[in-house]
């Protein structure tokens, strides 16, 4: 069992002898970051010693790092029958059939310009199931499989659309993740089917062994995986679920991987601080099958403010009765435990309301409570318009406003709960809202960690941030609101206002919206699928959008026709830029707050995704989506824009790209108006680079290709060609050929597999220039480039280099040093031709003890033949959910003709700029007749490694990783 590290952000070091080449890239691991992190242009950037902790990221053994291997996808596409191809064609040029590479069943079947069925008066569930039964050529579900479906939810939104989900159950145990989802209009039209249900489930379950480890052992393994210390807790059994008194749970589930069905334990562990994770632990081996970071990084008369202390609008405390508004019960006296929020000051960050941390219900017979006490001498940034609420230089000064801080946070969260429940958002209990009656009120921890540091203040991990974890419906989320401005840092080192995030409505509302998006974008079993970098970026963008929409709609912030006015976290950044740009920056807008880090003027487009913050990152990269949502608000008005955006989350494919969400928004308009606004919607997205020909491989693709065209009309075309070996000219059979971003990635539409002669044909393609045309053959490199498809047909022949290291072509791991973290990230993943998996190792000893001295780790690859080498191609990225600093930094490549005598062929150093892509390295010596290649990791990408480790918070102090190595040459 691999033990996780934790740490803080990373800086780049200088690369040596590395050339970056165009390559197909994926995110290389899901992003888990606290949601209120300042953008790289934020006020704390200059010389602040403060940065967010690196966290263990997400992991999914079904599609590691949310990206299936091309080999699995090729296998799925290769099983297409004439009947299934006929079905695809029947959906037209904007039809979508996305096939899950593991199950071979659809992840999504839908149309962007129409419905799958006509109007019907039958029950929505009957309509959906009838369609599945009518098309066994696509869904592949037998009567036995249909018998495993158990209705979990039939929720009707405010447009009348039914959002239905079925879980699959065998022997009383539910399948995790896979199932069936359907969306049916109020008129009985089938919009889409999703979920990748498992075919042959009953027979697979009969062949699967029972559990060998207990629920308690699974809980322990999950905690160990995230390097968490569990508190002693009492266990009780409630049906199939084991519950612990600390809030943790465990229950058995079926878990389907590419290698078949396994029995696992689904656990929820909350271990203090912000360590709240869901896991699926293999019930036989105790190994890791799934990990998801749930944190997104954020008598009754009370004195509250609606915006922030000192704001021109909503900046003065006023009286609000918490009982009259039904946020507290009538008999509430001692605790702020309300109908949707339970609030206290978690100053020691143990997630428990200890003595001195709770707040009495405000209000006396004669006065409202609690008046804010300003600390205007604590910083040069304090002003009448930006009131400081504590002094980082004075021990325990945060205690002065503790009651006010908690009460204000309680008010804001309760108020926002009610606002989100109203149309057009309609985030109600049926949709998954947070309510005490449903057993899942928001647990609001104000002043989180305020007493964790020396000298009566917060430590560096409890400042300048906020976060919220969101478990599935029925389990309470935890919202942690931190102080801003680090003790010991002057105003040049930390330029944030000495304040609290519970007093900044934009930050608290931002955190709350993570709950909205994580409850609406879910799989068939109700688990959030916002896992990858594009999905995570949209999560941050939605949080900014809904928060700022509220403030503008209530006249608390100004938004005129001038661009660049609407700023996130205006309070803590004292009117500076918290993100890199304002949310209302239109494309080509001219404003000081609409300038990118590179000096470019105007709002962002899709192609800016990897560069907005200098490197792909959910907060910065998400700004293009936030600005696009604001475009919709300006074009359609806030009410219809909010309806489009919210309802699209409910229609969304799992782990969506921004292109997937574009499609869902177009479909919402189809439901609401019959598609009257489709042309305008496509133009809005095309203006932001998300046009018809834009390309993205999947949600993990951190380098999408932009396009500015609306969907073309007219006849479709075909792409034909031959894939050959670049060196020998021989045909390459079984290669996957596809167009990324349409509409379902590389195992669905716009894809084909080469035959024995290397030939392929992709049919029903609309003409135009597509950004990502991709080819991947067994034992060959992955190639990606733009392709222009012409009316009447296009011939595209591809010559691909043999990758002699690839396992699919005969490469094998001959030896390695360091620990073996199989099955989730063993050495073999470095040669599996997928940038979604990789080899995870340690920096020092085999158990991951943090160190500032690298113990070199080497990987020896036996090639299937003797090769005269020409190039190496390396993706040095972090993997297995490790943070970015775990990427390979310094490296050496050695070669051998016999596996015994080794000589250096190349060496250098990778930086953050080299992550999530292949980087070509030219060997300088020892290239002839090579039978073995050794890759040596000499350091992680920890800045100033010797100083920042072992006690620094960098994951690279514990782990060093390699995502993929390719070896090219001639036999």
């Amino acid at each position: 069992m691999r033990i996780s590290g934790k740490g803080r952000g990373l800086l780049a070091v200088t690369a040596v002898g590395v050339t970056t080449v165009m390559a197909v890239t994926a995110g290389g691991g899901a992003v888990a970051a606290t949601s209120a992190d300042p953008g790289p242009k934020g006020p704390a950037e200059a010389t602040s010693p403060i940065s967010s902790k690196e966290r263990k990221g997400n992991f999914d053994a079904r599609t590691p790092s949310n990206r299936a291997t091309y080999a699995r996808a090729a296998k799925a596409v290769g099983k297409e029958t004439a009947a299934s191809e006929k079905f695809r064609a029947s959906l037209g040029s904007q039809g979508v059939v996305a096939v899950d590479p593991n199950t071979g069943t659809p992840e999504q079947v839908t149309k962007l310009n129409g419905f799958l069925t006509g109007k019907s008066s039958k029950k929505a569930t009957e309509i959906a199931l009838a369609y599945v039964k009518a098309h066994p050529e696509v869904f592949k579900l037998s009567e036995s499989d249909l018998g495993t479906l158990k209705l979990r939810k039939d929720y009707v939104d405010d447009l009348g659309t039914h959002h239905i989900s079925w879980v699959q159950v065998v022997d009383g145990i539910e399948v995790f993740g896979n199932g069936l989802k359907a969306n049916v209009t109020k008129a009985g039209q089938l919009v889409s089917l999703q979920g990748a249900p498992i075919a042959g489930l009953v027979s697979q379950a009969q062949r699967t062994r029972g559990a060998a480890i207990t629920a308690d052992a699974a809980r322990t393994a999950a905690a160990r995986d995230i390097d968490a210390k569990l508190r002693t807790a009492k266990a009780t059994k409630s049906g199939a679920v084991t519950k612990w008194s600390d809030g943790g749970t465990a229950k058995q589930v079926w878990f389907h991987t590419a290698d078949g069905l396994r029995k696992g334990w689904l656990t929820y562990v909350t271990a203090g601080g912000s360590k709240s994770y869901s896991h699926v632990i293999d019930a036989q081996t105790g190994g890791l099958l799934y990990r998801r970071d749930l944190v997104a990084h954020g008598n009754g008369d009370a004195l509250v403010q609606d915006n922030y202390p000192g704001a021109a609008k909503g900046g003065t405390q006023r009286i609000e009765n918490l009982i009259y508004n039904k946020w507290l019960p009538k008999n509430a006296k001692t605790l702020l435990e309300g109908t949707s929020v339970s609030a206290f000051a978690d100053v020691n960050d143990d997630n428990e309301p200890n003595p001195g941390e709770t707040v009495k219900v405000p209000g006396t017979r004669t006065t409202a409570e609690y008046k804010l006490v300003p600390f205007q001498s604590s910083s040069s940034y304090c002003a009448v318009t930006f009131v400081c609420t504590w002094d980082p230089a004075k021990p325990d000064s945060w205690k002065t406003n503790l009651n006010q801080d908690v009460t204000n946070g309680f008010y804001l969260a309760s108020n926002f709960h009610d606002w989100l429940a109203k149309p057009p958002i309609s985030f109600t209990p049926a949709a998954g809202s947070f309510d005490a009656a449903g057993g899942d009120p928001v647990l609001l921890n104000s002043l989180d960690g305020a007493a964790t540091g020396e000298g009566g203040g917060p430590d560096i991990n409890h400042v300048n941030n906020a976060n919220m974890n969101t478990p599935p419906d029925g389990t309470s989320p935890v919202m942690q609101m931190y102080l801003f401005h680090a003790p010991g840092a002057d105003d040049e080192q930390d330029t944030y206002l000495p304040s609290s995030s519970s007093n900044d409505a934009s930050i608290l509302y931002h955190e709350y919206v993570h709950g909205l998006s994580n409850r609406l974008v879910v799989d068939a079993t109700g688990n959030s699928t916002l896992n990858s970098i594009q999905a995570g970026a949209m999560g941050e963008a939605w949080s900014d959008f809904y928060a700022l929409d509220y403030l503008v709609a209530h006249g608390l912030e100004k938004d005129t026709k001038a661009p660049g006015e609407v700023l996130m976290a205006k309070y803590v950044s004292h009117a500076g830029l918290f993100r890199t740009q304002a949310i209302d920056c239109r494309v080509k807008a001219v404003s000081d707050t609409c300038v990118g880090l590179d000096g470019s003027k105007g709002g962002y487009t899709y192609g800016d995704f990897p560069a907005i913050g200098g490197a792909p990152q959910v907060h910065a990269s998400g700004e293009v989506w936030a600005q696009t949502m604001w475009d919709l608000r300006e074009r359609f008005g806030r009410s219809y824009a909010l309806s489009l955006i919210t309802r699209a989350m409910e229609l969304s494919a799992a782990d969506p790209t921004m292109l997937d969400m574009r499609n869902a928004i177009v479909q919402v308009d189809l439901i609401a108006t019959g598609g009257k606004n489709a042309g305008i919607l496509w133009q809005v997205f095309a203006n932001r680079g998300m046009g018809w020909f834009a390309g993205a491989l999947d949600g993990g693709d951190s380098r999408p290709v932009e396009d500015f065209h609306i969907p073309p009309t007219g006849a479709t075309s075909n792409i034909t060609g031959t894939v050959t070996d670049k060196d020998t000219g021989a045909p390459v059979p079984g290669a996957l050929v596809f167009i990324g971003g349409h509409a379902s990635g590389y195992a669905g539409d716009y894809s084909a597999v080469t035959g024995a002669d290397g030939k392929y044909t992709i049919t029903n393609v609309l003409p135009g220039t597509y950004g990502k045309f991709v080819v991947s053959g067994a034992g060959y490199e992955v190639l990606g480039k733009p392709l222009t498809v012409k009316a009447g047909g296009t011939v595209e022949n591809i010559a691909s280099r043999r990758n002699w290291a690839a396992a699919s072509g005969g490469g094998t791991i001959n030896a390695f040093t360091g620990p073996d973290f199989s099955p989730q990230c063993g050495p073999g993943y470095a040669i599996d031709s997928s940038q979604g998996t990789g080899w995870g190792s340690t920096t020092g000893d085999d158990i991951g003890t943090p160190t500032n001295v690298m113990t070199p780790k080497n990987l020896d690859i036996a090639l299937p033949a003797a090769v005269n080498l020409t190039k190496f191609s390396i993706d040095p990225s972090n993997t297995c959910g490790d943070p970015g600093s775990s990427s390979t930094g310094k490296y050496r490549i050695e070669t051998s003709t016999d596996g015994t005598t080794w000589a250096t062929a190349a060496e250098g150093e990778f930086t953050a700029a080299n992550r999530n892509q292949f980087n070509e390295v030219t060997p300088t010596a020892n290239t002839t007749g090579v039978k073995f290649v050794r890759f040596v990791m000499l350091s992680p990408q920890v800045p100033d490694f010797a100083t920042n480790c072992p006690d620094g918070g960098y994951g690279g102090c514990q782990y060093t990783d390699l995502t993929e190595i390719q070896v090219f040459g001639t036999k």
Side-chain angles (χ1 to χ4, degrees):
M1 174 60 63
R2 184 167 190 178
I3 301 173
S4 161
K6 61 182 180 180
R8 296 195 298 276
L10 49 91
L11 301 173
V13 286
T14 304
V16 178
V18 178
T19 302
T20 303
V21 297
M22 188 278 179
V24 178
T25 63
V31 175
T34 46
S35 60
D37 272 347
K41 205 173 178 179
E45 178 191 16
T47 55
S48 173
I50 310 306
S51 54
S52 300
K53 291 198 297 183
E54 289 186 311
R55 297 173 59 84
K56 197 72 168 173
N58 299 332
F59 175 80
D60 193 335
R62 295 170 299 179
T63 53
S65 298
N66 306 300
R67 173 190 171 117
T69 63
Y70 293 122
R72 295 180 198 170
K75 186 177 180 180
V77 174
K79 289 183 178 180
E80 285 281 350
T81 64
S84 61
E85 289 179 356
K86 182 179 179 181
F87 173 82
R88 288 177 185 274
S90 73
L91 298 183
S93 61
Q94 292 192 33
V96 178
V97 181
V99 177
D100 181 273
N102 290 334
T103 66
T105 59
E107 292 178 342
Q108 185 176 38
V109 174
T110 192
K111 295 173 67 175
L112 303 185
N113 58 352
F115 300 110
L116 297 176
T117 64
K119 295 180 180 180
S120 173
S121 60
K122 294 182 179 180
K123 289 183 178 180
T125 52
E126 294 177 359
I127 293 168
L129 291 175
Y131 192 85
V132 172
K133 292 176 183 178
H135 295 289
E137 74 276 18
V138 176
F139 293 95
K140 300 180 174 63
L141 299 182
S142 66
E143 285 297 323
S144 174
D145 296 324
L146 292 170
T148 68
L149 295 175
K150 176 184 175 183
L151 184 65
R152 184 186 74 87
K153 196 171 191 176
D154 183 355
Y155 153 63
V156 182
D157 68 26
D158 62 355
L159 293 179
T161 304
H162 287 256
H163 303 286
I164 313 164
S165 59
W166 291 267
V167 296
Q168 290 185 274
V169 181
V170 176
D171 297 334
I173 301 174
E174 292 183 2
V175 171
F176 177 83
N178 298 89
L180 184 65
K181 293 178 64 180
N183 300 289
V184 182
T185 71
K186 64 181 179 181
Q189 299 148 305
L190 182 61
V191 181
S192 60
L193 284 156
Q194 301 164 329
I198 301 170
L201 176 61
V202 174
S203 59
Q204 290 188 57
Q206 291 173 344
R207 299 192 301 269
T208 303
R209 291 183 293 173
I213 67 171
T214 65
D216 189 69
R219 172 178 177 258
T220 301
R224 186 185 304 122
D225 175 67
I226 56 172
D227 195 24
K229 294 180 180 179
L230 291 171
R231 299 186 297 273
T232 301
K234 182 180 179 181
T236 57
K237 194 79 179 292
S238 176
V241 181
T242 300
K243 296 183 178 181
W244 285 269
S245 55
D246 65 355
T249 61
K251 72 173 183 177
Q252 283 194 31
V253 292
W254 298 109
F255 190 93
H256 188 272
T257 73
D259 299 321
L261 196 67
R262 301 191 69 82
K263 189 168 283 186
W265 286 99
L266 171 62
T267 67
Y268 169 57
V269 170
T270 177
S274 58
K275 289 184 178 178
S276 297
Y277 282 78
S278 285
H279 289 80
V280 177
I281 302 297
D282 193 302
Q284 273 291 316
T285 67
L288 178 67
L289 294 174
Y290 175 90
R291 178 203 307 119
R292 186 169 194 275
D293 185 355
L294 299 176
V295 174
H297 326 302
N299 218 300
D301 278 343
L303 290 170
V304 298
Q305 69 257 330
D306 294 294
N307 197 352
Y308 60 81
K313 299 288 183 66
T316 302
Q317 284 188 301
R318 63 175 182 82
I319 299 174
E320 185 74 69
N321 190 281
L322 306 181
I323 294 175
Y324 176 81
N325 284 295
K326 299 182 180 179
W327 296 326
L328 285 172
K330 290 182 179 179
N331 59 351
K333 294 181 180 180
T334 58
L335 296 173
L336 294 181
E337 290 186 351
T339 53
S340 65
V341 180
S342 180
F344 63 96
D346 190 23
V347 300
N348 64 353
D349 194 20
D350 67 352
N351 293 354
E352 298 286 342
N354 302 300
E357 293 184 327
T358 59
V359 174
K360 178 182 72 70
V361 175
T364 69
R365 290 184 178 182
T366 57
T367 62
E369 300 174 299
Y370 300 102
K371 186 175 178 59
L372 176 68
V373 177
F375 282 79
Q376 295 299 76
S377 62
S378 63
S379 167
S380 61
Y381 304 125
C382 304
V384 173
T385 51
F386 299 105
V387 177
C388 296
T389 63
W390 75 299
D391 189 342
K394 293 182 179 180
D396 299 328
S397 66
W398 48 266
K399 290 182 178 180
T400 301
N401 286 313
L402 184 150
N403 289 336
Q404 180 275 333
D405 194 281
V406 176
T407 303
N408 199 73
F410 177 88
Y411 159 69
L412 289 174
S414 299
N415 173 64
F416 205 53
H417 166 275
D418 292 359
W419 172 254
L420 294 177
K422 298 175 182 178
I425 300 170
S426 302
F427 186 45
T428 62
S433 64
F434 310 110
D435 300 274
D440 59 353
V442 171
L443 303 181
L444 174 59
N445 298 350
S446 288
L447 295 171
D448 195 82
T452 53
E454 297 179 1
D459 63 22
I460 61 171
N461 295 318
H462 292 88
V463 289
N464 298 349
N465 223 318
N467 63 63
M468 180 163 171
N469 78 59
T470 310
D473 198 5
T475 302
S476 283
V478 178
M479 183 186 294
Q480 297 180 315
M481 308 302 291
Y482 296 171
L483 288 166
F484 273 70
H485 199 102
D490 60 30
D491 284 350
E492 290 185 0
Q493 293 172 316
D494 187 338
T495 58
Y496 285 115
L497 189 79
S499 55
S500 166
S501 52
S502 287
N503 275 305
D504 189 324
S506 71
I507 292 180
L508 191 142
Y509 291 162
H510 171 107
E511 298 309 331
Y512 203 112
V513 176
H514 279 297
L516 169 75
S517 59
N518 277 293
R519 287 278 170 93
L520 295 186
V521 185
V522 296
D523 60 27
T525 60
N527 292 283
S528 172
T529 66
L530 295 178
N531 298 322
S532 65
I533 190 166
Q534 287 210 31
M538 286 189 289
E540 299 300 334
W542 285 319
S543 286
D544 281 2
F545 173 80
Y546 282 81
L548 293 173
D549 166 77
Y550 177 92
L551 295 175
V552 170
H554 287 79
L556 300 171
E557 290 296 332
K558 183 175 68 172
D559 180 29
T560 68
K561 292 182 179 180
E565 294 178 316
V566 187
L567 303 178
M568 181 62 195
K570 185 177 179 181
Y571 174 48
V572 299
S573 58
H574 46 94
L577 277 171
F578 192 76
R579 302 299 185 214
T580 69
Q581 288 189 3
I583 198 173
D584 60 327
C585 291
R586 306 176 195 99
V587 175
K588 298 182 181 179
V590 178
S591 170
D592 290 343
T593 54
C594 299
V595 179
L597 292 180
D598 61 357
S600 57
K601 296 181 179 180
Y604 296 119
T605 57
Y606 198 32
D608 294 323
F609 186 96
I612 292 173
Q617 194 263 356
V618 289
H619 298 92
S621 299
E623 291 186 52
V624 62
W625 186 253
Q627 291 177 352
T628 305
M629 297 304 94
W630 207 263
D631 287 348
L632 293 176
R633 189 182 189 275
E634 291 184 339
R635 183 61 184 81
F636 292 102
R638 64 172 304 277
S639 181
Y640 191 55
L642 282 166
S643 181
L644 287 170
I645 295 163
T646 309
R647 303 285 77 82
M649 293 187 206
E650 296 160 333
L651 293 180
S652 170
D655 203 23
T657 66
M658 291 182 181
L659 303 180
D660 291 327
M661 288 307 307
R662 172 204 65 189
N663 294 347
I665 288 172
V666 170
Q667 287 186 300
V668 174
D669 183 69
L670 179 66
I671 295 169
T673 72
K676 292 181 181 179
N677 299 304
I680 300 173
L681 285 168
W682 274 106
Q683 192 59 63
V684 169
F685 283 107
N687 191 47
R688 289 287 180 173
M690 300 178 212
W692 178 258
F693 302 104
L697 301 183
D698 56 18
D701 191 344
S702 61
R703 287 175 169 78
V705 175
E706 64 185 10
D707 172 73
F708 301 94
H709 295 83
I710 62 174
T713 57
T716 60
S717 183
N718 296 336
I719 309 171
T720 60
T722 306
V723 180
T724 57
D725 186 299
K726 187 174 184 178
D727 296 312
T728 67
V732 178
L736 179 67
V737 186
F738 68 95
I739 295 175
H742 269 275
S744 52
Y746 36 80
D749 306 299
Y750 285 20
S751 63
V753 174
T754 59
D757 57 0
K759 296 184 181 299
Y760 71 92
T761 300
I762 301 176
T763 61
N764 204 33
V765 181
L766 287 166
T769 300
Y770 292 88
K772 288 204 171 184
F773 179 69
V774 185
V775 180
S776 173
Y780 283 82
E781 66 181 325
V782 179
L783 293 175
K785 65 174 185 177
L787 177 68
T788 299
V789 179
K790 300 176 182 178
T794 294
V795 177
E796 183 66 19
N797 298 318
I798 306 107
S800 182
R801 292 178 296 181
R802 175 73 185 269
N803 172 17
W804 296 96
S808 59
T812 59
I813 301 299
N814 190 56
F816 66 95
T817 58
D820 185 356
F821 289 129
S822 297
Q824 60 264 38
C825 42
Y829 285 123
I831 58 171
D832 69 345
S833 300
S834 170
Q835 288 174 275
T837 55
W839 171 41
S841 193
T842 55
T843 301
D845 59 30
D846 285 1
I847 62 173
T849 304
T851 180
N852 63 351
V853 178
M854 177 77 184
T855 301
K857 306 296 190 303
N858 63 272
L859 185 72
D860 296 355
I861 305 165
L863 309 182
V867 178
N868 294 327
L869 302 181
T870 56
K871 295 281 186 181
F872 302 108
S873 188
I874 316 294
D875 182 346
S877 306
N878 51 304
T879 187
C880 201
D882 293 332
S885 64
S886 295
S887 305
T888 295
K890 294 179 181 178
Y891 68 92
R892 184 173 64 249
I893 303 176
E894 301 174 0
T895 59
S896 174
T897 58
D898 57 8
T900 302
T901 304
W902 297 87
T904 298
E907 55 189 346
E909 184 172 359
F910 295 116
T911 73
N914 302 115
R915 297 179 199 161
N916 306 319
Q917 63 186 13
F918 281 116
N919 303 274
E920 292 218 340
V921 176
T922 302
T924 56
N926 305 304
T927 59
T928 304
V930 173
K931 281 278 291 179
F932 300 87
V933 172
R934 170 178 288 173
F935 186 84
V936 187
M937 299 187 296
L938 297 175
S939 78
Q941 288 185 15
V942 175
D944 197 3
F945 178 40
T947 300
N948 284 327
C949 293
D951 297 327
Y954 292 91
C957 299
Q958 290 182 277
Y959 300 111
T960 304
D961 302 336
L962 169 71
T963 285
E964 193 75 11
I965 177 171
Q966 299 184 115
V967 176
F968 303 123
T970 55
K971 187 176 179 180

